[in-house]
């Protein structure tokens, strides 16, 4: 089977990367750390134990933060703050923020993690009014 390629970038476009290979898991994490770090309801990360990450540019702009006393790691562009990929567990696990990809994600979310920490305002999200763009 041919290896799949994905590419992604940060908001300011100074950091760009490519991923060769497949993602095995796609988790939406609702834990307290992910809510703080994304400023949103959950993190949306793709995981691979086999794919290769190559920075195309801006690797020197990438900062990695590990929360003291936890395994919570976040990598981001130091200029625009966008989440970018990182490699965890001594190189064993590639973690790619799904929203940073510019290419299609082929797999559906595997599951929701830490649902016990879910934001209360998420309960009826599917019922919220949907606009194609800003409200008119
Ligand atoms: Zn950036
Ligand atoms: Zn989390």
């Amino acid at each position: 089977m041919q290896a799949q390629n994905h590419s992604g970038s940060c908001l300011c476009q100074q950091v760009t990367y490519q991923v060769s290979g497949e993602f095995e898991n796609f988790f939406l994490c609702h834990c307290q750390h992910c809510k703080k770090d994304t400023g949103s309801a959950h993190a949306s990360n793709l995981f691979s134990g086999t794919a290769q990450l190559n920075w195309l540019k801006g690797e020197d702009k990438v900062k990695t933060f590990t929360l003291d006393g936890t395994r919570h790691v976040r990598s981001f562009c130091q200029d625009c703050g966008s989440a970018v990929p990182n490699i965890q567990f001594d190189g064993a696990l590639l973690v790619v923020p799904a929203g940073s990809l510019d290419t299609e994600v082929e797999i559906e979310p595997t599951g929701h993690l830490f649902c016990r920490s879910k934001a209360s305002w998420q309960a009826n999200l599917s019922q919220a009014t949907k606009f194609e763009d800003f409200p008119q």
Side-chain angles (χ1 to χ4, degrees):
M1 196 156 76
Q2 199 185 344
Q4 291 185 310
N5 279 302
H6 296 89
S7 58
S9 56
C10 69
L11 202 50
C12 76
Q13 298 295 310
Q14 291 186 90
V15 179
T16 59
Y17 66 88
Q18 208 162 50
V19 173
S20 317
E22 315 232 355
F23 297 112
E24 288 104 41
N25 285 299
F26 183 5
F27 287 117
L28 309 181
C29 185
H30 300 259
C31 82
Q32 300 292 358
H33 304 325
C34 287
K35 283 195 292 189
K36 284 281 182 202
D37 126 357
T38 61
S40 190
H42 57 76
S44 306
N45 285 315
L46 292 150
F47 295 82
S48 179
T50 53
Q52 291 296 313
L53 170 68
N54 291 300
W55 297 107
L56 299 178
K57 61 175 191 173
E59 186 176 3
D60 58 322
K61 294 274 176 195
V62 177
K63 286 264 187 215
T64 296
F65 169 80
T66 303
L67 184 63
D68 267 354
T70 74
R71 292 186 317 196
H72 185 85
V73 180
R74 178 177 197 256
S75 292
F76 55 95
C77 168
Q78 67 180 24
D79 281 5
C80 71
S82 305
V84 296
N86 61 52
I87 295 170
Q88 301 181 17
F89 298 104
D90 292 324
L93 188 66
L94 171 65
V95 183
V96 177
S100 78
L101 286 169
D102 297 314
T103 48
E104 287 302 314
V105 177
E106 298 82 5
I107 64 172
E108 295 281 314
T110 315
H112 295 267
L113 307 181
F114 285 89
C115 289
R116 63 164 190 238
S117 305
K118 238 180 187 178
S120 58
W121 48 267
Q122 272 210 282
N124 298 308
L125 267 191
S126 59
Q127 264 101 87
T129 308
K130 294 169 183 66
F131 301 97
E132 286 297 316
D133 212 314
F134 284 115
Q136 295 300 311

